[in-house]
Amino acid sequence: MGVTYKYFGAPDGATAARVPISMRPEELGGDELGMNGMFTKIKPETMAAMVLTGIEGVPLHRVPPLELVVLHPDYAVVRLPMTVVDPLRGIGEEAVGAAAFIWSTVPDRGGPRDAFNVYQLLHEWQDFSHRLHEAGHQPYCLVWP
C-alpha cells in the first residue's frame, strides 16, 4: 500500500510525540493531531526540498535535515524546519507558479510531476503554513509504514 504521511502542527515536540498509537490514517479525520492536518503521499524530505529549492533557491545539498521526534515500530514522527513552511506565507501567485514549474521538471520515482498538481500542492502547503503561524505551531509529520 505504501507509506502515508499526515502533516500537522503542534506547539512542541512533547505534544507532537503524543500520537495515538492505535489509530490508523483513515481513522484520523478531525483534529486529533490539531490544525486539520493534511494527508499526502509526499515525503517530508521532498516537501522540504520543493519549498527550499523552488522558492528560496537553496541548493539541494543545503536543505536541513528533519528532526526525529519519535521512532516507534508502527510509526514515526518527524519535525520539519520552520524554513520549510515560513517562506510560503509571503509569496504570491507568480512565485508559487514558478516554484511549481521548477519542481515539475525534477524527476521522482514516478517520473516528472504535472506542474498544475505541484501548484495545487504548494497552495495547500501555503494554507497549512498560515494555519501553523496563526496557532504558533511548528510543522510535524506522522509517518505510517
Side-chain angles (χ1 to χ4, degrees):
M1 180 169 136
V3 177
T4 300
Y5 305 97
K6 180 167 183 176
Y7 294 92
F8 65 99
D12 53 50
T15 303
R18 290 193 294 271
V19 174
I21 294 171
S22 64
M23 294 188 130
R24 302 305 308 159
E26 55 276 4
E27 296 171 333
L28 288 171
D31 283 333
E32 293 88 350
L33 299 177
M35 299 304 300
N36 292 317
M38 300 186 311
F39 284 114
T40 183
K41 294 289 186 183
I42 308 282
K43 295 192 293 187
E45 309 87 274
T46 303
M47 277 312 307
M50 189 183 300
V51 170
L52 295 175
T53 59
I55 294 172
E56 293 289 286
V58 174
L60 203 50
H61 69 280
R62 297 233 168 177
V63 173
L66 305 174
E67 177 187 322
L68 183 64
V69 177
V70 174
L71 181 58
H72 185 275
D74 296 328
Y75 63 87
V77 176
V78 295
R79 185 176 74 79
L80 286 77
M82 288 304 289
T83 54
V84 173
V85 292
D86 282 348
L88 290 166
R89 285 199 328 272
I91 63 170
E93 287 298 309
E94 238 176 73
V96 172
F101 175 75
I102 290 167
W103 196 258
S104 73
T105 65
V106 176
D108 59 19
R109 284 183 292 191
R113 299 179 66 87
D114 179 79
F116 184 70
N117 291 341
V118 177
Y119 174 81
Q120 289 177 310
L121 176 67
L122 286 173
H123 265 295
E124 288 177 32
W125 268 80
Q126 200 170 34
D127 293 342
F128 182 58
S129 175
H130 285 290
R131 293 194 312 265
L132 285 174
H133 181 71
E134 289 165 9
H137 286 182
Q138 298 175 36
Y140 292 90
C141 184
L142 176 59
V143 181
W144 282 275

